[in-house]
Amino acid sequence: MKPKVILSNVTKRYSLYKKNSDKLLDIFSIKKRGKSFFALKDISFEVFEGETVGVVGINGSGKSTLSSILAQVIPPSSGELTIHGQPSLIAISAGLNNNLSGIENIELKCLMLGLSKAETQRIKPDIIEFADIGDFIEQPVKNYSSGMKSRLGFAISVHTDPDLLIVDEALSVGDKTFYDKCLVKINEFKEQGKTIFFISHSLSQIKTMTDRVLWLHFGELKKIGETNEVLKEYQDFVKWFSSLSKEEKKAYRKKMLSEQSMSDSGRYSGNSKRSQAHKKGSYFSRIVTFMQVLISLVSLTIAGLFLFIDKPQIQLSSYFPNISIWSDADKDDGLERKEAFTPESIGSTGFIQVEKANLYRDEDLSDKVEELPFSTKVYVEEKSTEKSYKILYDDKSYFTKGSSLLFDINEKQLSTISFQDQLFMFDDSFKASYAYFLAFFDSSYEEIDQSLRGLTEEVEDEEGNRFLVYGYDNVTYRVTNQNVSDAIIFNNLTFDEEALQFLKQEAKLVSEDEKMYLVETEGYNWYYNVDKQELLLEKK
């Protein structure tokens, strides 16, 4: 049987920099002193025509990196990739332009894949029908939910007749009808002898659809083999990992991530073949280094000459009369100098008003250390620069963008809304059963798993929380590492004008783009995300 995809010692390396200035210095440096992160290390395997290969691994194992390399979205840092045919990546919103409508994205992506205008017009009705997103096909993609983006991306990809199909978590969103439609299409591709990579956290989907399974573990190929055999070993690992305490999980992740990161001076070398390839490329590397040094010397020489020229901007203007180098104020006498910014004391409680706010160690906002989610409460100490504010969070000082903060807001009294008041946002089938789903607040993992049917996915975050996804019912339970469900996530809500007015009236906090709302009642926090069509109901 002829191999369709061959990976030989493929490695993907990223350089890590604490500041943007370090990246600039690294360009002109002969000896690299930065750190590298190996998203993939020496991956080798062959996949044959007509095979469907599942890809599993916990978060951070390199699954999305592998899918991007297979789809030729990003190149490997080293090693060889051979693909016989045209690949197509299906992931949530992959390859979609947010500012274009659904129709325009269909035409653009078909054009990028080499289809003629006539071919695009021929398949466009089939794509629109398969996506089944109604009038939204004429709207900009930025207004789509994640499920709608996935529908459109999947529809485009499967109708352009790719030789290699890469499905990256694209079936984790959407309703059962669309999921069944996707399975039918994938089975059609299997019957046609096409090669498929199926990346998913849903082991039931992997077991049903794949011939072999590839297990990635923190950038390394742990095992590839027959589906049931690999899944059994992977499930044993997941069971072991889930049994660890929160501290043990963090220690394990820290150890594995440290093995993926190292200084460039001690760079991961791989096997002998890769070392030989590196030696072959050393001559080219020396030429590049020489050019970098030469450019640096020329730049320094030019800069030095300007030290001996009176008003160099005037001299440059005489040589380039058609180019305005300085403003009129500069030409009068000397350069316009920017006045230093005087920090302004604030001393007020503030809230994060964006979906995720970056926190930095420095007021120049170049050394990122953490992220805070929407509605997080902080203490705003001062306005440090024109763009940055100094805040206090968890007894530590950070800097963040002013646009991320909302402070000096009037503390609203607790809202008195109930779940019944909001049922108009849900579909009719859910209205009759919402009380049943709410009954599992404060329940254990075992109680939920034994009482509810239709579990479609189970994932775990870095804090040790487990998420039980019942995709057919649009309900997800968050179970803490104390084995108690403290939050329920409801999906597929309808946020029409009536709903948005309702939320604005009841919300304690509204994000700057009016896409996220926090309503606080006596016993609960209600988090609404318009883009995700989602409500997260959390017990205080």
Side-chain angles (χ1 to χ4, degrees), residues 423-440:
L423 286 178
F424 68 93
M425 302 183 197
F426 294 82
D427 59 38
D428 293 336
S429 62
F430 182 82
K431 293 176 183 178
S433 57
Y434 76 92
Y436 177 71
F437 291 111
L438 291 176
F440 290 96

Side-chain angles (χ1 to χ4, degrees), residues 8-9 42 44 78-80 269-280:
S8 300
N9 308 115
D42 272 343
S44 298
S78 63
E80 293 184 4
S269 59
N271 59 21
S272 59
K273 290 183 179 179
R274 218 183 130 231
S275 300
Q276 291 171 7
H278 179 73
K279 289 178 181 178
K280 291 179 181 178

Side-chain angles (χ1 to χ4, degrees), residues 450-465:
Q450 293 171 11
S451 301
L452 293 175
R453 295 293 178 265
L455 182 69
T456 56
E457 187 175 6
E458 180 179 336
V459 296
E460 182 173 338
D461 65 14
E462 294 181 354
E463 301 299 321
N465 298 312

Side-chain angles (χ1 to χ4, degrees), residues 12-14 16 35-41 59-62 65 217-220 253-263 268:
K12 184 60 183 178
R13 166 187 171 272
Y14 293 97
L16 304 179
K35 285 193 173 182
S36 297
F37 178 80
F38 292 88
L40 295 175
K41 294 190 292 186
N59 291 334
S61 292
T65 301
H217 190 64
F218 290 94
E220 295 184 337
R253 284 185 177 276
K254 185 176 180 181
K255 175 189 174 185
M256 299 306 298
L257 289 172
S258 68
E259 293 178 4
Q260 285 183 273
S261 305
M262 60 190 68
S263 65
Y268 176 83

Side-chain angles (χ1 to χ4, degrees), residues 435-478:
Y436 177 71
F437 291 111
L438 291 176
F440 290 96
F441 258 130
D442 292 328
S443 297
S444 67
Y445 172 91
E446 291 75 20
E447 289 171 330
I448 298 173
D449 185 51
Q450 293 171 11
S451 301
L452 293 175
R453 295 293 178 265
L455 182 69
T456 56
E457 187 175 6
E458 180 179 336
V459 296
E460 182 173 338
D461 65 14
E462 294 181 354
E463 301 299 321
N465 298 312
R466 284 184 285 181
F467 293 83
L468 305 179
V469 183
Y470 294 86
Y472 302 146
D473 297 307
N474 295 308
V475 173
T476 300
Y477 290 91
R478 184 177 73 191

Side-chain angles (χ1 to χ4, degrees), residues 4 117 152 217 291 327 386 452 460-461 510 529 535:
K4 191 74 172 182
K117 188 174 182 180
L152 181 60
H217 190 64
M291 294 301 296
S327 66
E386 288 287 355
L452 293 175
E460 182 173 338
D461 65 14
V510 182
N529 189 313
L535 161 63

